[in-house]
């Protein structure tokens, strides 16, 4: 088993419970960890035998473009779509962070992490 990580991807998106958040938007970060059997790729040196990082990034980008009220909902969609596209993923962990959330004070970020084993 191997662990593949894509860390701190940045997106401008429109997630939040406040009406203004869904209009003005905010900056988000997403990190993902995928545990997968990569033995075939280790021997073949063939991209088709492993998790393609570009495809994962594009899947996440698409999910980030879809408005949601809750980070939990965004995280669930990301985990699900990654697993749907990579059946060799045995575990997917994702962290979705909203930078500078509008909570009435100086806050770097709020985050939701979600993990699922398959």
């Amino acid at each position: 088993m191997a662990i593949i990580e894509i860390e701190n991807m940045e997106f401008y998106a429109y997630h939040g419970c406040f009406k203004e958040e869904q209009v003005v938007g905010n900056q988000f970060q997403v990190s993902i960890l995928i545990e997968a059997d990569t033995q075939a790729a280790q021997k073949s040196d063939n991209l088709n035998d492993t998790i393609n990082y570009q495809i994962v990034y594009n899947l996440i980008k698409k999910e980030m473009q879809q408005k949601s009220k809750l980070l939990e909902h965004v995280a669930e969609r990301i985990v699900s779509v990654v697993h749907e596209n990579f059946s060799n993923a045995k575990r997917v962990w994702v962290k979705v962070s909203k930078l500078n959330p509008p909570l009435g004070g100086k806050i770097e970020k709020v985050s939701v992490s979600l993990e699922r084993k398959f």
Side-chain angles (χ1 to χ4, degrees):
M1 287 293 172
I3 294 177
I4 296 166
E5 296 180 73
I6 307 172
E7 302 177 83
N8 297 325
M9 294 170 273
E10 292 196 12
F11 302 95
Y12 199 86
Y14 300 87
H15 308 304
C17 289
F18 298 122
K19 183 176 161 184
E20 297 80 13
E21 292 179 288
Q22 299 224 339
V23 173
V24 176
N26 203 343
Q27 196 70 28
F28 292 82
Q29 279 184 340
V30 178
S31 293
I32 192 162
L33 178 148
I34 304 166
E35 186 174 347
D37 182 353
T38 62
Q39 288 185 45
Q42 290 164 217
K43 293 176 182 160
S44 71
D45 197 28
N46 186 331
L47 182 58
N48 294 324
D49 291 334
T50 190
I51 305 291
N52 183 319
Y53 316 150
Q54 185 67 54
I55 292 173
V56 173
Y57 174 82
N58 288 332
L59 292 169
I60 293 170
K61 181 179 179 181
K62 184 178 177 185
E63 293 305 322
M64 290 302 292
Q65 291 171 342
Q66 184 180 334
K67 289 183 183 180
S68 289
K69 292 180 182 174
L70 301 177
L71 297 181
E72 291 87 343
H73 188 248
V74 178
E76 170 61 31
R77 289 198 328 261
I78 291 170
V79 168
S80 293
V81 75
V82 168
H83 186 254
E84 287 168 15
N85 283 270
F86 296 99
S87 60
N88 60 332
K90 304 302 179 199
R91 177 171 67 111
V92 178
W93 171 89
V94 68
K95 180 179 180 180
V96 180
S97 301
K98 180 188 294 187
L99 307 181
N100 303 309
L103 298 176
K106 183 173 167 68
I107 300 169
E108 180 183 341
K109 62 185 170 182
V110 294
S111 303
V112 170
S113 296
L114 181 65
E115 177 179 12
R116 191 169 326 138
K117 296 178 182 180
F118 303 97

